[in-house]
Amino acid sequence: MSEINDLFANQVSYHCTHITNDIELRISTLNNLKIWIKDHDDLITNALKTDLGKTPTESYMTEIGLVLDAIEYAKKNIKKFTKKQRVHTPLHEFFSRSYYINEAYGNVLIMAPWNYPFLLSIEPLVGAVSAGNCVILKPSEFAFETSAVIKQMVDTVFDAGHVAVVEGGADVADELLKLNFDYIFFTGSEAVGKKVYEAAAKNLTPVTLELGGKSPAIVTESIPTDIAAKRILYGKGLNAGQTCVAPDYILVQESVKDAFMESIKKYITEFYGNKPLKSVNLGKIINKKHYERLKSLLKNQKVLVGGGIDERSLKIEPTFVDANFDNVLMKEEIFGPIMPVITYSTIDEVIKYVNSKPKPLALYLFSNMKEEQERVTRECHFGGGCINDTVNHLSNHDLPFGGVGASGMGAYHGKYSLETFSHKKAIMHKGTRIDTPYRYYPFDEKKAKMIKRSVK
Ligand code: NAD
């Protein structure tokens, strides 16, 4: 693994030259990245088709488009972000100016998962580069076509001292984690997240952990079931349910369960036709191992709709299952197109259940009642979410995106990406013509009084 060590040493030297402090260089490399992506749109969408069976439209909507948006945001905001950020100075520090500088951490490691392999590699990369860092990026080994395209792109657009891609699996990740990075940005599972955190602790390296979890969708009787069903199926259907913020299970108020399920059936036909397994809109499960995992979850289940599977194409129909809290589907994040449906009678039950479980990455409430909206958003603990929609909170770059507790720590997107990859270096700049005597020894009564008076 001396190649990895050499690459890291090269990036450390590159960062020490302060080249990445040059704002124009950051903007022009981001521009080159954007041009490359636009010119090779078909290469990226073909790779995503091979890895995950996504249509070009879905790939553009959920990966490429979001990356282009992130680049545009960064290009427009880097100058403002890198200026000295002036803050108030208290009276007792008169003849001073106070500000902080958003300073790049330095050498950053980004590790990405396979489910949105382009977006989740490149959006953090854009943040890290915009903030002035050098980056080693390790995409997921399971989305190998996309990983290869990412490598080709990075090799073309960036100097290897600035940004480089290291491909490989857990063994390669382990080697990378031994290095003394200044920041680690990890997206993936809770189990690997813990390993990353442990490795980072050895060097006191700060981390962002973007993890997953079981994100509930709550359907109350105060909303037309049709719109709830349509928007939940949209969020679950994307990438065949292999989405960190996909609704993982449904809590539906007893009185509207049947109507809700009728709407689900209607929209499954509308979105995927009468034979969902044949539909181009239904993505494939990433690999045989995950397909088998999902297949075994379907054993002995009371299927309300769906249930079809096809080993050859690794596809599983959107499948809704009649469940209760003890069902095996409620044990771990499902990460596939299977949806347990559980009934409830009062919103108190819902809040109690959600808060008794690890904090999820997302929560979706379908309700037109203000009181329910207020209670659920304020009393339930979760990373972020939507009222009357699913998934799309992450498409607004003015909202921070990240988990809490078991679903992760830290956040990014838009200005939060720039902040994530920067240290806020605080400076107090004092004038030299006047000096305040009261802080210097020896203290006397007069000085003691002045000090007390200066603090409100
Ligand atoms: P994963 O944790 O298995 O892999 C993520 C990365 O870690 C990959 O690059 C992989 O090579 C590496 N890795 C795997 N095993 C490792 C080990 N033992 N030591 C060091 N590195 C290792 O995750 P995944 O299966 O690729 O992705 C699915 C998970 O990611 C789900 O839990 C999902 O919810 C979560 N996720 C979260 C977000 C988010 O933004 N919060 C986004 C997408 C996925």
Side-chain angles (χ1 to χ4, degrees):
M1 295 287 174
S2 79
E3 247 177 64
I4 287 181
N5 292 335
D6 292 348
L7 180 62
F8 181 66
N10 183 26
Q11 289 210 341
V12 171
S13 307
Y14 191 93
H15 193 259
C16 285
T17 63
H18 307 295
I19 298 173
T20 56
N21 277 352
D22 182 344
I23 308 301
E24 293 308 328
L25 173 107
R26 294 188 209 171
I27 294 173
S28 70
T29 37
L30 287 173
N31 220 19
N32 292 342
L33 183 64
K34 184 175 174 182
I35 292 167
W36 197 97
I37 293 170
K38 288 197 152 191
D39 286 351
H40 299 82
D41 184 350
D42 54 339
L43 207 63
I44 304 165
T45 52
N46 284 340
L48 290 167
K49 178 92 192 151
T50 309
D51 287 333
L52 288 148
K54 291 187 198 190
T55 61
T57 309
E58 183 168 332
S59 291
Y60 203 89
M61 183 174 81
T62 63
E63 303 218 36
I64 300 166
L66 294 175
V67 167
L68 294 175
D69 183 54
I71 295 175
E72 260 326 280
Y73 178 90
K75 275 171 50 192
K76 281 203 189 109
N77 289 281
I78 287 179
K79 282 192 179 144
K80 193 169 134 208
F81 183 78
T82 46
K83 275 189 185 149
K84 290 175 182 170
Q85 311 287 320
R86 292 288 293 267
V87 298
H88 170 75
T89 303
L91 197 59
H92 54 76
E93 298 299 338
F94 55 82
F95 287 104
S96 305
R97 284 182 286 131
S98 303
Y99 57 87
Y100 64 88
I101 297 167
N102 287 310
E103 178 194 64
Y105 276 107
N107 293 91
V108 170
L109 171 65
I110 295 175
M111 289 170 63
W114 51 261
N115 63 331
Y116 287 82
F118 190 74
L119 173 72
L120 299 174
S121 299
I122 309 306
E123 183 156 10
L125 175 69
V126 169
V129 166
S130 307
N133 296 282
C134 293
V135 183
I136 292 184
L137 166 64
K138 197 204 84 60
S140 170
E141 68 277 28
F142 295 120
F144 46 84
E145 292 289 338
T146 312
S147 174
V149 170
I150 288 172
K151 178 149 178 55
Q152 185 187 339
M153 174 177 81
V154 167
D155 285 352
T156 314
V157 173
F158 295 95
D159 189 314
H162 189 190
V163 181
V165 170
V166 173
E167 291 185 283
D171 52 336
V172 170
D174 273 346
E175 286 308 311
L176 287 167
L177 287 170
K178 284 180 194 150
L179 300 171
N180 194 354
F181 282 98
D182 298 302
Y183 200 90
I184 299 176
F185 187 101
F186 170 81
T187 308
S189 62
E190 189 185 330
V192 179
K194 284 180 182 167
K195 289 184 186 170
V196 170
Y197 203 15
E198 204 179 320
K202 290 201 176 104
N203 293 318
L204 289 180
T205 303
V207 294
T208 293
L209 300 177
E210 293 281 343
L211 312 177
K214 288 186 82 62
S215 302
I218 302 154
V219 182
T220 69
E221 61 189 8
S222 68
I223 187 151
T225 50
D226 205 61
I227 195 76
K230 192 179 190 181
R231 291 179 182 178
I232 287 173
L233 187 63
Y234 154 78
K236 187 71 168 183
L238 288 173
N239 202 21
Q242 302 166 109
T243 304
C244 55
V245 285
D248 184 272
Y249 64 97
I250 294 173
L251 299 175
V252 58
Q253 205 156 9
E254 247 164 6
S255 50
V256 290
K257 182 193 170 192
D258 292 345
F260 173 75
M261 281 314 303
E262 280 314 303
S263 300
I264 286 284
K265 284 176 195 161
K266 179 179 107 183
Y267 285 112
I268 286 180
T269 312
E270 202 171 303
F271 289 6
Y272 302 101
N274 287 323
K275 292 184 177 147
L277 290 176
K278 301 271 177 229
S279 169
V280 290
N281 297 324
L282 182 65
K284 72 182 261 288
I285 305 306
I286 183 78
N287 55 33
K288 188 86 193 312
K289 187 177 150 212
H290 278 282
Y291 171 83
E292 290 297 337
R293 177 183 64 81
L294 292 164
K295 186 178 151 189
S296 75
L297 285 175
L298 282 176
K299 251 188 221 151
N300 304 323
Q301 295 290 359
K302 195 172 159 203
V303 171
L304 294 166
V305 56
I309 59 174
D310 177 31
E311 189 170 332
R312 203 180 40 83
S313 61
L314 297 184
K315 285 191 177 189
I316 295 177
E317 277 180 2
T319 300
F320 287 69
V321 167
D322 205 6
N324 58 36
F325 293 124
D326 297 326
N327 194 297
V328 63
L329 290 169
M330 295 303 289
K331 303 279 180 255
E332 278 178 10
E333 180 183 15
I334 295 168
F335 223 55
I338 304 170
M339 185 78 107
V341 180
I342 299 174
T343 53
Y344 76 89
S345 50
T346 68
I347 204 71
D348 292 286
E349 260 174 66
V350 168
I351 295 170
K352 199 169 160 203
Y353 178 76
V354 170
N355 286 343
S356 73
K357 296 285 152 193
K359 294 168 186 163
L361 182 57
L363 180 146
Y364 307 111
L365 172 69
F366 287 84
S367 168
N368 277 334
M369 272 178 65
K370 186 124 189 355
E371 195 200 325
E372 268 172 353
Q373 296 169 356
E374 281 295 309
R375 283 203 58 198
V376 171
T377 49
R378 288 186 185 275
E379 292 177 27
C380 288
H381 309 295
F382 55 98
C386 307
I387 293 175
N388 298 337
D389 203 1
T390 61
V391 173
N392 276 28
H393 57 300
L394 65 74
S395 70
N396 178 359
H397 63 216
D398 288 321
L399 284 173
F401 176 71
V404 59
S407 55
M409 59 182 75
Y412 72 129
H413 289 186
K415 75 165 179 167
Y416 308 101
S417 292
L418 288 154
E419 286 178 353
T420 285
F421 289 104
S422 310
H423 162 63
K424 286 182 167 49
K425 190 197 271 173
I427 309 285
M428 183 179 280
H429 184 153
K430 276 233 148 125
T432 50
R433 280 200 290 159
I434 295 179
D435 202 15
T436 46
Y438 67 88
R439 64 179 179 173
Y440 298 113
Y441 300 131
F443 293 139
D444 55 23
E445 223 171 283
K446 194 175 156 202
K447 284 183 180 176
K449 265 189 197 159
M450 276 183 80
I451 289 168
K452 278 192 180 159
R453 233 184 294 138
S454 72
V455 181
K456 292 223 169 73

